[in-house]
Structure formats: C-alpha cells, structure tokens
C-alpha cells in the first residue's frame, strides 16, 4: 500500500443550491420504478445485438445484449421483469430496451472464479460488468483482450450537485476492497484510488492518492494526467466506485447488484 498527494491548482467549484445531503437514512425504503431501460449508446464502442425478445422475462444481471465485435461481452439487465418493448431509431438502430420491473427482484446466479486473470475476465464479461470499464484514450468500453498499464478509480465527484460516493463506500467498504483486489490482477501496473483528504480509502495492494483542489479534481482524466500520463501505445482503464463495489459483490455472492 502506497500513498501519494496530488494538488490541483486550476479549476473552479460552483456552489449551487440544491446539492445532495451528506447523510441519509439506510432504513429509507427502496422504491422500485415501474420501468427501467438499457441504452446501448451509453456503452461507447459497443455494437449491440439482442439476446432477448419483447415479452420475454429476465432476471437482474441476466445478459440482455452482446457486442457484435466481442460476442462474450454482455450488457446485463439492471432489474428483473419482462422486456416490455425494444425501441429502435433510424436504420433499426437499438435506442433502448425497456424492462417492466417485477415486484419480486430475482438475481441471476453466476459461478465465478478469481484464480487467474482469464477467469476474472470471463466472469466480468458474462456478468455485464465489463461494459462499465472505460479505456483511455477515447473513453470507450475496454477491449476484452487488452491489458491496461494502470487502473484508476476516483472515489469522489467534484462536479456541481454531484452525490457523495463516500455514502456508498461506508455501506460497502468490504465489497469495494474486494473489487479493487480483483482488478489488480488485470493490470501489469497499479490500481490508483483517488480520494479526498477527509475520506481516505486504503486498500491493500493499491496506491491511495489524496487529491486536493477544485473541480475538475474528481475527474479520472485529471488524476491520470497528474499521476502517469498516457503515452503513445499505452492504455489505462477508469472505473467508477459503484462498479468496483459491484465487482466485489459478484466475486463474494455470485450475483450482480
């Protein structure tokens, strides 16, 4: 475990009314929406192909789409229910797949292994979590066959009105640590975790970076540029803390949250 300090001097914080509160009640009921949608355009670089038809049922975490160029790369259903409709645009482009949520949320069970890097890749691809890993340059979905120089995780968002990721970290610290441990096996370099000084997250084997300064201090690209800029021919990955928690949960419980 190593520690680094990054100080961002240029930037600006906009203090706007209506920012989320720094605390919340864990006992607050979760209100399930009537419908949820998967929008393939959110996954840059993926050419989507359907695995489900209208009227078919899906479990939470069950594959819904796959990538034409990498058929093992799945995009999973975020909730259990029935495929209500598939909305298409020009040239029959898939705009969104809408799921009508069921009252009882059943999660798909996966058999996963973290013994080798190949086992981890296979589990992340099958679960749909690989689609949330971004590759720099170009900020596209990471190429399944690539090995990144480093992996960067920013645990805070400095944009105006952004929610505090620290709330999630408090509730799922063990899953976050497990996710970071899993990701470390996929890179030849380091896993860098960017934190604010008042919310330092130490994970064995990872490099914790304390980042001070105004927005855009929370942007992964800014942290990369101030740590180890990407040179020609190199690739690095960026992952949001929610996805790291979900990766940890996958290899702990065998389901995707």
């Amino acid at each position: 475990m190593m520690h680094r300090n990054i100080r961002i001097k240029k930037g600006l914080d906009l203090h706007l009314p209506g920012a989320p509160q720094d605390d919340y009640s864990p006992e607050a009921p979760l209100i399930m929406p009537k419908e949820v949608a998967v929008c393939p355009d959110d996954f840059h670089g993926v050419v989507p192909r359907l695995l489900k038809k209208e009227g078919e049922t899906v479990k939470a975490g069950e594959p819904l789409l796959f990538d034409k160029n990498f058929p093992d790369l799945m995009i999973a259903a975020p909730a259990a229910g029935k495929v209500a409709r598939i909305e298409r645009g020009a040239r029959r482009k898939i705009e969104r797949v809408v799921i009508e949520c069921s009252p009882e949320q059943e999660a798909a069970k996966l058999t996963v292994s973290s013994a080798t890097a190949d086992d981890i890749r296979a589990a992340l691809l099958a679960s749909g979590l690989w689609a949330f890993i971004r590759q720099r340059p170009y900020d596209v979905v990471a190429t399944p066959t690539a090995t990144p120089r480093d992996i960067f995780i920013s645990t805070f968002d400095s944009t105006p009105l952004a929610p505090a990721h620290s709330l999630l970290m408090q509730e799922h610290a063990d899953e976050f640590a497990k996710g970071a441990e899993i990701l470390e096996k996929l890179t030849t370099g380091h896993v860098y975790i960017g934190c604010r000084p008042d919310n330092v997250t130490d994970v064995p084997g990872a490099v914790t970076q304390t980042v001070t300064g105004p927005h855009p201090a929370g942007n992964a690209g800014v942290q990369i540029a101030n740590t180890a800029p990407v040179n020609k021919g190199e690739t690095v990955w960026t992952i949001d803390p929610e996805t790291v928690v979900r990766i940890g949960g996958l290899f702990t419980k065998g389901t995707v949250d």
Side-chain angles (χ1 to χ4, degrees), residues 98-113:
V98 181
I99 299 173
E100 183 180 324
C101 301
S102 60
E104 296 182 0
Q105 289 295 302
E106 183 180 359
K109 191 72 175 179
L110 298 173
T111 301
V112 299
S113 171

